[in-house]
Amino acid sequence: MSANLLSYVGWTFLPNLVTGWLQTLYYGLTIRIGDPKPLPGTPRYIKHRRRINILVVTAYLVYTIYEADWQIRQDGDFYQDLGVAQHIDERGIKSRFRRLAAQFHPDKVTNSEARNSDTYFVHLRLAQDTLLDPTKRFAYDRFGPDVVNWRHCASVRDYVLAGMQVIAPYYVASGLVMVILGVLGYLDWGKYWRYASFASLLVFEMHTVTRPYYPPITTKIFNPILTTLTNHSPYLPFQQLILARKIMLTVFIALSQLGPLLQPQQAQQQNPEQSQRQSIDRLEQLTKATEVETTRLLALDLAPVTGDEKAMKGVRTKMKDWLIENTVRADPEVRDAVGRVMQKRRVGAPSGARGTR
């Protein structure tokens, strides 16, 4: 449960956080210094963030599945510990254990390795005893190493009922969480397929733990492909169920994030006031960005005279003259006023004469 909670927390925060970092890095590598970058909320910025977010979520989904498979391989199983095949008979198990006992029995090793060898030998004996007992072997293949602690179980029926009590809370809790999140609107995309996949996994697990044989999908499809294309050892039923639950959880969370991103962008019907408000907000952001860029460029131009008061005074005077010449006098109203004044002047009258003002 704690691992699932950590996985959910990771899915909640990491994709958006990494997407923001990668988008900043992408703009830093593809946009030259001084060129404007797409502002948040603009169509170009939204398109880039959508594509990067899809890549991040997909990559995190693949990593999560690989991590689950790696953890299963690290935990191992009794067959791998003994170095035998999954369908080995009782005689083969005893023969293999005798060879291992000759190598790892505490009486056969040095004093410096006695402690580790004693622990490992006890583990090997537990693996042999479990696999030699047909009832325990049936339970181990379907419910994993926890069955060695089910002391009250004596028959296959007892182990199946005990296993049902273990897995029932998982499905009940998962189903309630799915319903609650669906009611709150968090799992709207792909809702039908999500419930269908959840029900299919439940049926598959019930079939796996109650039948005396391995599921055909495991023995005829999944394991042959896995062992042919990779050096991966075949999955036991309980390992396949652990991986299936992990995949289901991560795919459900990934689809809840990928669904809105994969949907075609549809034009939203907005009222004029909302559209006008969004346009004003974008214009305000553009104005602020322009002001910041102008201030930066002005500071860059004034860098050679920064700290020289005399030079700065000269720059201010020239900037004042330039503003008067190019802003004040260039104003149409100012030009019209000057023209009207010039028309009133008498030709040949001395400066300051009456009637020329």
Side-chain angles (χ1 to χ4, degrees):
M1 183 63 70
S2 59
N4 293 336
L5 181 60
L6 290 176
S7 177
Y8 179 76
V9 172
W11 274 104
T12 303
F13 295 102
L14 284 181
N16 289 331
L17 187 63
V18 175
T19 298
W21 289 345
L22 290 180
Q23 190 168 12
T24 302
L25 179 63
Y26 172 74
Y27 287 155
L29 295 175
T30 59
I31 298 179
R32 294 181 300 179
I33 299 177
D35 292 345
K37 298 179 180 179
L39 297 176
T42 59
R44 185 184 177 193
Y45 181 91
I46 294 175
K47 181 180 71 174
H48 291 164
R49 186 170 186 86
R50 174 174 168 269
R51 292 178 177 177
I52 295 175
N53 201 2
I54 291 175
L55 292 176
V56 170
V57 172
T58 305
Y60 192 53
L61 172 63
V62 174
Y63 166 76
T64 305
I65 295 175
Y66 171 79
E67 182 187 28
D69 174 72
W70 180 84
Q71 186 62 48
I72 291 174
R73 286 184 291 172
Q74 287 294 110
D75 294 340
D77 58 72
F78 286 166
Y79 295 94
Q80 293 182 22
D81 296 339
L82 292 175
V84 297
Q86 294 179 0
H87 299 287
I88 193 170
D89 57 9
E90 179 179 342
R91 181 178 179 182
I93 295 174
K94 291 181 178 180
S95 175
R96 178 61 179 170
F97 179 76
R98 283 195 296 269
R99 289 196 296 269
L100 292 175
Q103 181 178 358
F104 294 104
H105 194 280
D107 296 337
K108 304 292 184 179
V109 298
T110 60
N111 293 332
S112 59
E113 300 175 351
R115 178 177 299 179
N116 294 335
S117 178
D118 184 43
T119 304
Y120 187 60
F121 181 76
V122 171
H123 177 75
L124 293 177
R125 179 175 289 279
L126 176 63
Q128 178 203 223
D129 295 341
T130 302
L131 298 183
L132 287 178
D133 187 332
T135 302
K136 290 183 179 180
R137 184 173 180 175
F138 172 92
Y140 175 81
D141 290 347
R142 288 151 183 81
F143 300 107
D146 292 340
V147 299
V148 298
N149 298 320
W150 298 355
R151 306 295 183 185
H152 60 283
C153 298
S155 63
V156 171
R157 182 176 181 275
D158 294 337
Y159 279 108
V160 171
L161 292 178
M164 293 289 188
Q165 295 176 4
V166 173
I167 64 179
Y170 169 81
Y171 282 98
V172 172
S174 299
L176 289 176
V177 170
M178 288 177 58
V179 172
I180 293 174
L181 292 179
V183 171
L184 296 178
Y186 290 103
L187 299 177
D188 288 338
W189 194 86
K191 182 182 299 185
Y192 169 79
W193 294 108
R194 186 176 289 108
Y195 285 116
S197 301
F198 182 76
S200 300
L201 178 62
L202 175 60
V203 172
F204 174 71
E205 183 155 0
M206 293 299 100
H207 177 273
T208 300
V209 301
T210 56
R211 295 296 183 272
Y213 50 84
Y214 287 4
I217 192 175
T218 301
T219 57
K220 296 182 179 180
I221 300 177
F222 192 76
N223 279 340
I225 294 176
L226 189 68
T227 54
T228 301
L229 300 180
T230 66
N231 58 353
H232 199 296
S233 58
Y235 277 120
L236 289 168
F238 83 88
Q239 294 173 327
Q240 191 172 11
L241 291 173
I242 292 175
L243 185 62
R245 294 193 207 109
K246 185 69 174 180
I247 291 176
M248 185 190 70
L249 175 64
T250 54
V251 168
F252 283 0
I253 300 176
L255 287 180
S256 66
Q257 299 189 16
L258 285 175
L261 299 175
L262 296 175
Q263 286 180 340
Q265 299 295 323
Q266 301 177 352
Q268 299 180 352
Q269 299 295 331
Q270 298 179 342
N271 54 49
E273 293 183 0
Q274 186 175 2
S275 300
Q276 185 178 10
R277 190 180 306 111
Q278 292 181 354
S279 300
I280 293 175
D281 292 340
R282 287 195 295 267
L283 181 60
E284 183 180 0
Q285 293 177 355
L286 181 61
T287 303
K288 291 181 179 179
T290 304
E291 183 180 357
V292 171
E293 187 68 16
T294 304
T295 303
R296 187 183 68 83
L297 293 176
L298 181 60
L300 187 62
D301 291 337
L302 294 178
V305 296
T306 301
D308 190 344
E309 188 63 28
K310 183 177 180 180
M312 287 295 296
K313 184 176 181 180
V315 171
R316 292 192 190 98
T317 302
K318 292 182 179 180
M319 290 180 64
K320 181 178 179 181
D321 294 341
W322 183 87
L323 288 173
I324 293 174
E325 291 291 337
N326 294 276
T327 303
V328 179
R329 293 184 179 180
D331 188 89
E333 295 182 0
V334 175
R335 290 202 305 268
D336 292 343
V338 172
R340 289 194 297 269
V341 171
M342 295 298 295
Q343 290 176 359
K344 293 180 180 180
R345 294 185 59 143
R346 292 184 299 171
V347 178
S351 177
R354 293 185 63 182
T356 62
R357 296 181 181 179

